[in-house]
């Protein structure tokens, strides 16, 4: 079945850039679907970050738009998240996920998540 | 975009039914039939339970059902079981390619 796996540094210094990659297994990103990022600060709720199509079209949460860039690498079957100028408030578990078929307005497959801590 | 409003917690005894509400606005929940629900056990990733208001993915027990009236969507768990203890989040399309999550509800099985 389709699997997603987040990877990247678990510790990022304040003001630097958080960079994460999501590797997709058992499905070719080139074939379609939208792919997204969601985060969850410790003990808090889920926050949508944004999503991307295999063509590179991106859609970001307005609250993070000025600091977020997403990209897709179809040759590696991966998509990535860059979050600039991070602060302690960006400490969270970051999930990658796939938008489902049909209406395409829900996440049907999730990665296990990766904890990223922002600290000097 | 403010988070959709959910009760902080609900509880019930095994076998009972519980309902979680998710209140939005006429710009999101009230305007689109694109509400989904996610179950998140402690320390785990969320899992899709309901999509498009009332559709159940393959493998999700039919004890879980979804509905919507006006600006409020609801998730009902019938025949509550110990394994249903988790956090639950709603999620809605809000137009212009944007989305919003609910604030989350903790379900406790007494």
């Amino acid at each position: 079945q389709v699997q997603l796996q987040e990877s990247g540094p678990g510790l990022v210094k304040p003001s630097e850039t958080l960079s994460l990659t999501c590797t997709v297994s058992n499905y070719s990103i080139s074939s379609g679907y939208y792919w997204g990022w969601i985060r969850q600060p410790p003990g808090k709720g889920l926050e949508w970050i944004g999503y991307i199509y295999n063509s590179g079209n991106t859609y970001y949460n307005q609250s993070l738009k000025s600091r977020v860039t997403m990209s897709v690498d179809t040759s590696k079957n991966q998509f990535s998240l860059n979050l600039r100028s991070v602060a302690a408030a960006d400490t969270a578990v970051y999930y990658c996920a796939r938008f489902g078929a049909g209406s395409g307005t829900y996440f049907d497959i999730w990665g296990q998540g990766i904890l990223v801590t922002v600290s000097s | 975009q403010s988070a959709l409003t959910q009760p902080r917690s609900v509880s019930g005894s095994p076998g009972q039914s519980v309902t979680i509400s998710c209140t939005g606005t006429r710009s999101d929940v009230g305007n689109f039939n694109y509400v989904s629900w996610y179950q998140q056990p402690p320390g785990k990733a969320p899992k899709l339970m309901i999509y498009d208001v009332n559709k159940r993915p393959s493998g999700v027990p039919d004890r879980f059902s979804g509905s919507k009236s006006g600006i409020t969507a609801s998730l009902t768990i019938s025949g509550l079981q110990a394994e249903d203890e988790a956090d639950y989040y709603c999620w809605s399309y809000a137009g212009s390619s944007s989305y919003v999550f609910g604030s989350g509800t903790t379900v406790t099985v007494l």
Side-chain angles (χ1 to χ4, degrees):
Chain A
Q1 74 267 25
V2 180
Q3 293 183 317
L4 283 68
Q5 178 70 58
E6 305 87 352
S7 60
L11 181 64
V12 181
K13 290 182 169 56
S15 79
E16 294 191 344
T17 297
L18 179 159
S19 296
L20 296 175
T21 296
C22 183
T23 300
V24 180
S25 303
N26 303 317
Y27 183 83
S28 172
I29 287 183
S30 300
S31 298
Y33 287 103
Y34 285 87
W35 307 86
W37 290 96
I38 304 98
R39 70 179 183 177
Q40 184 172 36
K44 296 188 178 181
L46 299 169
E47 180 181 29
W48 162 64
I49 300 172
Y51 57 100
I52 187 168
Y53 194 60
N54 61 5
S55 61
N57 288 347
T58 53
Y59 306 87
Y60 302 139
N61 187 329
Q62 281 293 120
S63 66
L64 297 169
K65 187 175 183 177
S66 63
R67 298 194 291 132
V68 172
T69 302
M70 294 181 184
S71 59
V72 62
D73 186 338
T74 53
S75 67
K76 295 182 178 178
N77 220 36
Q78 297 174 333
F79 60 102
S80 299
L81 167 69
N82 279 352
L83 181 64
R84 297 177 291 279
S85 304
V86 297
D90 295 309
T91 293
V93 175
Y94 285 76
Y95 296 99
C96 59
R98 186 186 81 170
F99 269 103
S103 69
T105 61
Y106 54 91
F107 292 112
D108 64 343
I109 300 174
W110 294 66
Q112 64 184 30
I114 182 170
L115 174 62
V116 179
T117 301
V118 178
S119 175
S120 56
Chain B
Q1 188 79 41
S2 299
L4 307 174
T5 301
Q6 297 181 232
R8 181 162 292 190
S9 64
V10 299
S11 61
S13 300
Q16 288 186 330
S17 293
V18 296
T19 296
I20 304 167
S21 60
C22 169
T23 301
T25 69
R26 287 186 291 179
S27 297
D28 39 60
V29 175
N31 198 31
F32 304 98
N33 289 324
Y34 297 140
V35 176
S36 51
W37 290 89
Y38 302 86
Q39 177 193 65
Q40 186 180 33
K44 294 193 173 183
K47 173 188 174 185
L48 177 68
M49 305 302 285
I50 295 287
Y51 66 99
D52 293 354
V53 174
N54 56 14
K55 297 178 183 175
R56 243 184 344 267
S58 174
V60 172
D62 59 8
R63 303 184 290 104
F64 291 87
S65 62
S67 63
K68 191 189 89 166
S69 178
I71 62 170
T72 299
S74 300
L75 174 71
T76 298
I77 309 173
S78 305
L80 197 62
Q81 298 183 4
E83 67 204 52
D84 299 332
E85 198 160 274
D87 291 332
Y88 291 80
Y89 293 90
C90 59
W91 155 268
S92 174
Y93 182 60
S96 302
S97 303
S98 70
Y99 292 83
V100 60
F101 273 110
S103 50
T105 298
T106 299
V107 171
T108 302
V109 182
L110 301 172

